[in-house]
Amino acid sequence: MPPSTSLPETPTLEQQHSGIPSRLLPKATNAKSLIYDGKTVSDTVSLQRGLPVPQGISLKAFLAAIEELKSVIGAQNVQLNDKEVKNGWYMEHPNTHDMMPLLDSEEFIASAVVYPGSVEDVQAIVIWANKHLIPLSPISLGRNLGYGGSAPRVRGAVTIDLGRRMNRILDINAQDYTCLVEPGVTFYALYEEIQKRGLGDKMWIDVPDLGGGSVLGNTLDRGVGYTPYGDHWAVHSGLEVVLPDPSARVVRTGMGALPGENTWQSFPYGFGPFNDGIFSQSNFGVVTKMGMTLMPNPGGYESFMYTFQNESDLAPLMDIIRPLRISMILENVAQLRHCLQTLAVKGQPRTKYFKGTGLMPEEIVHEELKNTPVGDFVWVYYGMSYGPPHIRKHKLAIVDAEFRRIPGCRKIDPSTLPPNEYFWSRDRIAAGIPDLVELAWVNWMPNGSHIAFSPVSPISGDDAVKLWNLAKKRHTENGLDLMPAFCVGLREMHLIVEIVFDATDKDMRKRAEKCLRDMIEDAAALGYGEYRTHIALMDQVASTYSWNDNSLMKLNNTLKDALDPNGILAPGRCGIWPARYRNRGWELKGGESSSEGNGVSPGPGEIKL
Ligand code: EUG
C-alpha cells in the first residue's frame, strides 16, 4: 500500500455527482487515509473468471448485444466489466460489484455498466434487455453498503448506473416544502443546493448516518434518517417509473398521473390503488424520479446524550422510551447504542486496543472509555429536542425525569465535549446536516467490511433483551464482536447489528454468514423479521415472511410475471425470482460458494404459482 499521504484527493460535489461537499473534504481525507491504512491487499483485483456473461446467452451473442446498445445510447455510455475491479472506499465506491463481499468478490458482479442520460435512454435499455433476455440491475448511487452496495444479485447482470448522468434536482418548492429528484441526487447534494439557494434557514432535509447515498435509492430501500421525518418512505410523494416489460412504458404514480397536475409532491395517493409500494424493495420497475417532502426548520434544536452503566438497564430503558416516543416527547428516530460501537467509531483498528484473537474483552472497552470525555458506560442514548427553547424545556424535563429512573443514568453536558466527539456528528445528523463520521467503525478490522442484521420489533424491554441475547449468543459462537444500535421508530424499533469483518479472511466471511443466517432464523422463530437485508440473504429473509403458505410471495410472483414477463429486471432482488429463474436453484440458503442457479429457461418460462 502506498503511504496514505500520497492518496489522491476525494472528488468534490463540484467535480462529480457522487462527490463530497467541500466543507467535508478534510474529513474525507482523514477517513480515506484511515481506511487505506487498514487495507492489507491491493485495491484492484484482476478478474480471474473473465467477463461475467449472464446465464442464458452466449458470449458472442452478449458481445453483439452490447455493440447494439452502444449504437443506441452511445459507446461512451456502455462499459464492459472484463478486466479488473477496484474496491475503493465509501466516497469512491465501485458500481460493478459488492466492495464488501460476503461470498467471493466475483459472485455478485456486473458484466457491464450502462449510463442512461434520460428516461428515454432507460426505456431503450429495457427494450434492449427484453429483446436479448439480458438481466438488468438498476442502481442510483450504489452506496447501499451493508446490504450489497451496487452489486447485482445475478452474476453478469448489466448494471444501469442511473445516477451518473441523471442527477438533477428538478424542483425545490419553498412554498409546499417539497422537492423532486432524479436517482443521482445524494443527501449531500440536496443539502448543499438548499443552502446555496438561501433556503437553509427555512427548510431541512432528513439524512441517514452517512450522506453519500441517493435520496431516491435510500427511500426506495426504506432507509432511515434522524429528524422527525426519519421514515423516508413515509414522507415521499410521487414516483416516475419505467416498467420492465417490452413496452417500457413510463408511469407516474399518485397525482402525477393527472396531466397538468399541481400536487404530485404534496398528495402522495392520487386516485385509485396506491401503487408506490410495489416499486419499493422490489424488482417491478426502474424509478427515474421521486418527490420528497421537506421539513420546516423547527425554530431551534438541542441534542442530548444520556449514558447508562449496566447491561441490564436495556429492558427498563426501552419501556421508558416507548411511551415517550409514541407521544413524540422523544421526537426523532433516536439511537440507543452499545459501548463497543462507540469505541469502534473512533476509527482505530481493534488491534490498537487488543492484540489477541477471539472476542474483544469487555474490560478493555471499559478501561478505554474511562479515559474519554464521555466516560465509561454500557448503553448511550442520542436524541434531539426540536423547537424554540421554551418549548424544548418542557419536553427535555420529562425525558430527564424519566431517564433518571434508571440508577446510574448520566446526562452528558455537551459543552464538556470536544468538537471531534462523535456526539456532534449525531447532533448534525439529527438537524438534517449530512456528515461522514459513521463510516469509521469499518476500520475495526483490516479490509473492514460490514453487513447488517436488521430485525424489527416492538419497542419493549422484553423484546430488546430477546434480540440482544440472540445476537450475543450467535456472535459469541462465531467469534464476532457485537456492536448493536437500537433505532427507535414511532411504534417499533429496528435493531441494527453491523458485523464488521475482514473481507480477505475467508474463514471470517464464513463465520459472518453463519452468524447472520442463524440470527435471521432465531429471530423469525420469535416473531421478528428484517426490515431490509443484504442481497446474499434476501431469499432467506423473504422465506421467513411465509404466512398462509407463502401467500405474500405468491402475490409478488404474480406481479413479477405480469409486469416483467421476460424476467429481465433485477432477478432475485428481495427474493423475487422471475418465472425464467424459478425452481432452478437460484435461491441462496447458506454455505454456497456460488451465487448462481442452474440456468434460465430460454423463453418467458413456465408461470406456475
Ligand atoms: C444503520 C442504520 C440503519 C441501517 C443500516 C445502518 C446505522 C448504523 C436504521 O437503519 O439499515 C450505525
Side-chain angles (χ1 to χ4, degrees):
M1 285 283 90
S4 41
T5 45
S6 69
L7 291 170
E9 198 157 86
T10 305
T12 61
L13 264 181
E14 287 76 47
Q15 291 158 332
Q16 59 188 52
H17 75 290
S18 59
I20 192 84
S22 302
R23 69 179 174 91
L24 292 175
L25 188 55
K27 263 190 197 170
T29 304
N30 180 49
K32 184 174 180 177
S33 80
L34 287 173
I35 282 172
Y36 274 81
D37 286 348
K39 291 197 189 229
T40 63
V41 296
S42 170
D43 212 18
T44 44
V45 190
S46 51
L47 295 183
Q48 300 302 303
R49 297 164 66 186
L51 177 71
V53 180
Q55 291 202 32
I57 187 167
S58 70
L59 171 64
K60 190 162 167 253
F62 179 75
L63 291 175
I66 286 287
E67 288 310 308
E68 181 189 312
L69 185 61
K70 284 182 181 172
S71 71
V72 179
I73 67 165
Q76 72 282 13
N77 298 318
V78 180
Q79 256 169 21
L80 271 186
N81 184 33
D82 57 350
K83 292 180 186 65
E84 59 180 31
V85 290
K86 183 166 193 250
N87 281 327
W89 70 294
Y90 181 77
M91 284 310 302
E92 293 162 272
H93 66 299
N95 57 12
T96 44
H97 66 295
D98 187 358
M99 71 195 279
M100 300 180 165
L102 191 63
L103 306 181
D104 183 86
S105 60
E106 285 182 57
E107 285 302 323
F108 300 120
I109 190 169
S111 55
V113 185
V114 300
Y115 301 96
S118 64
V119 178
E120 292 72 27
D121 279 357
V122 175
Q123 292 177 282
I125 294 163
V126 165
I127 291 164
W128 168 85
N130 271 287
K131 177 174 165 196
H132 299 284
L133 298 179
I134 291 172
L136 298 174
S137 176
I139 58 170
S140 299
L141 256 294
R143 285 196 177 123
N144 198 17
L145 297 180
Y147 296 116
S150 57
R153 169 63 183 82
V154 163
R155 183 168 198 275
V158 170
T159 291
I160 314 177
D161 184 335
L162 294 158
R164 183 178 293 189
R165 297 174 64 216
M166 297 172 71
N167 50 48
R168 290 173 300 168
I169 298 169
L170 296 166
D171 186 37
I172 296 176
N173 184 324
Q175 184 174 307
D176 298 342
Y177 291 80
T178 62
C179 65
L180 181 67
V181 294
E182 291 189 324
V185 178
T186 64
F187 293 94
Y188 290 143
L190 183 57
Y191 176 82
E192 295 301 323
E193 182 62 23
I194 287 172
Q195 309 314 307
K196 208 163 92 190
R197 295 193 193 180
L199 294 169
D201 280 345
K202 200 172 160 170
M203 53 179 58
W204 288 14
I205 65 170
D206 184 275
V207 298
D209 293 272
L210 290 165
S214 156
V215 177
L216 180 152
N218 175 281
T219 302
L220 288 179
D221 229 45
R222 300 201 286 269
V224 172
Y226 299 94
T227 72
Y229 279 33
D231 179 350
H232 294 164
W233 182 250
V235 296
H236 93 285
S237 184
L239 301 177
E240 181 187 83
V241 189
V242 175
L243 297 179
D245 69 282
S247 78
R249 199 172 288 129
V250 186
V251 172
R252 289 187 175 179
T253 66
M255 296 307 295
L258 192 141
E261 56 73 27
N262 42 33
T263 47
W264 192 19
Q265 271 62 71
S266 46
F267 185 62
Y269 309 126
F271 181 75
F274 183 42
N275 309 98
D276 291 39
I278 66 167
F279 300 112
S280 153
Q281 287 195 8
S282 79
N283 48 16
F284 297 158
V286 184
V287 179
T288 48
K289 291 181 183 65
M290 184 190 74
M292 194 71 178
T293 56
L294 301 166
M295 187 175 120
N297 181 342
Y301 62 89
E302 182 176 347
S303 283
F304 55 91
M305 173 183 187
Y306 286 84
T307 60
F308 302 89
Q309 299 305 315
N310 308 295
E311 202 178 298
S312 59
D313 293 339
L314 179 63
L317 185 55
M318 278 300 172
D319 289 324
I320 286 172
I321 288 171
R322 181 185 55 257
L324 295 176
R325 187 69 185 96
I326 294 179
S327 59
M328 287 287 271
I329 299 295
L330 293 170
E331 295 164 275
N332 66 335
V333 172
Q335 285 202 2
L336 182 68
R337 290 195 171 207
H338 186 256
C339 53
L340 184 58
Q341 196 168 40
T342 310
L343 185 61
V345 85
K346 296 185 188 301
Q348 300 298 317
R350 175 183 123 119
T351 47
K352 177 180 166 169
Y353 311 107
F354 177 56
K355 301 271 187 293
T357 53
L359 298 179
M360 176 79 183
E362 285 176 34
E363 316 80 71
I364 296 184
V365 179
H366 293 299
E367 244 352 276
E368 287 294 331
L369 289 178
K370 268 181 203 151
N371 303 317
T372 63
V374 170
D376 190 21
F377 62 89
V378 174
W379 302 103
V380 54
Y381 184 95
Y382 296 100
M384 184 178 270
S385 183
Y386 298 87
H390 66 282
I391 291 184
R392 297 199 303 262
K393 196 175 81 182
H394 297 290
K395 294 183 282 198
L396 288 168
I398 296 171
V399 172
D400 194 65
E402 289 296 307
F403 280 12
R404 284 190 194 283
R405 286 166 48 199
I406 310 276
C409 154
R410 288 180 58 213
K411 181 172 188 177
I412 307 296
D413 177 359
S415 71
T416 64
L417 300 176
N420 67 353
E421 165 62 41
Y422 176 72
F423 170 85
W424 296 115
S425 179
R426 291 246 67 86
D427 177 63
R428 284 184 289 274
I429 287 164
I433 306 167
D435 207 352
L436 184 73
V437 171
E438 195 59 47
L439 178 73
W441 46 250
V442 300
N443 300 319
W444 193 244
M445 298 304 295
N447 312 299
S449 299
H450 62 100
I451 182 165
F453 167 61
S454 317
V456 175
S457 84
I459 311 171
S460 89
D462 186 40
D463 292 294
V465 168
K466 278 189 198 158
L467 284 169
W468 162 248
N469 284 339
L470 84 78
K472 199 164 170 178
K473 170 166 175 260
R474 296 306 189 180
H475 277 65
T476 305
E477 283 171 5
N478 289 290
L480 298 165
D481 290 329
L482 171 58
M483 306 185 193
F486 292 91
C487 298
V488 188
L490 208 50
R491 279 180 179 74
E492 54 71 43
M493 60 190 179
H494 299 6
L495 166 61
I496 306 294
V497 178
E498 290 277 13
I499 294 180
V500 181
F501 63 100
D502 177 348
T504 67
D505 180 340
K506 248 194 179 140
D507 174 66
M508 193 170 200
R509 286 194 332 227
K510 282 224 158 67
R511 285 184 282 129
E513 185 185 0
K514 175 97 174 71
C515 184
L516 287 157
R517 292 198 183 278
D518 287 348
M519 290 193 295
I520 292 166
E521 193 179 311
D522 294 349
L526 295 170
Y528 309 116
E530 286 65 50
Y531 97 99
R532 186 178 181 186
T533 201
H534 187 277
I535 47 174
L537 308 171
M538 285 175 169
D539 295 312
Q540 188 190 355
V541 167
S543 78
T544 64
Y545 287 79
S546 62
W547 184 79
N548 192 18
D549 196 18
N550 299 297
S551 60
L552 184 62
M553 186 52 81
K554 287 175 182 167
L555 169 62
N556 288 336
N557 286 342
T558 304
L559 290 169
K560 184 65 177 165
D561 295 336
L563 294 170
D564 183 10
N566 288 322
I568 53 103
L569 189 61
R573 182 142 203 102
C574 292
I576 304 163
W577 290 97
R580 294 181 59 225
Y581 292 72
R582 243 170 259 155
N583 307 316
R584 288 168 177 268
W586 284 86
E587 293 85 356
L588 290 175
K589 292 285 151 71
E592 296 91 349
S593 56
S594 162
S595 61
E596 296 188 90
N598 181 25
V600 291
S601 78
E606 189 191 350
I607 295 179
K608 200 170 61 186
L609 300 172

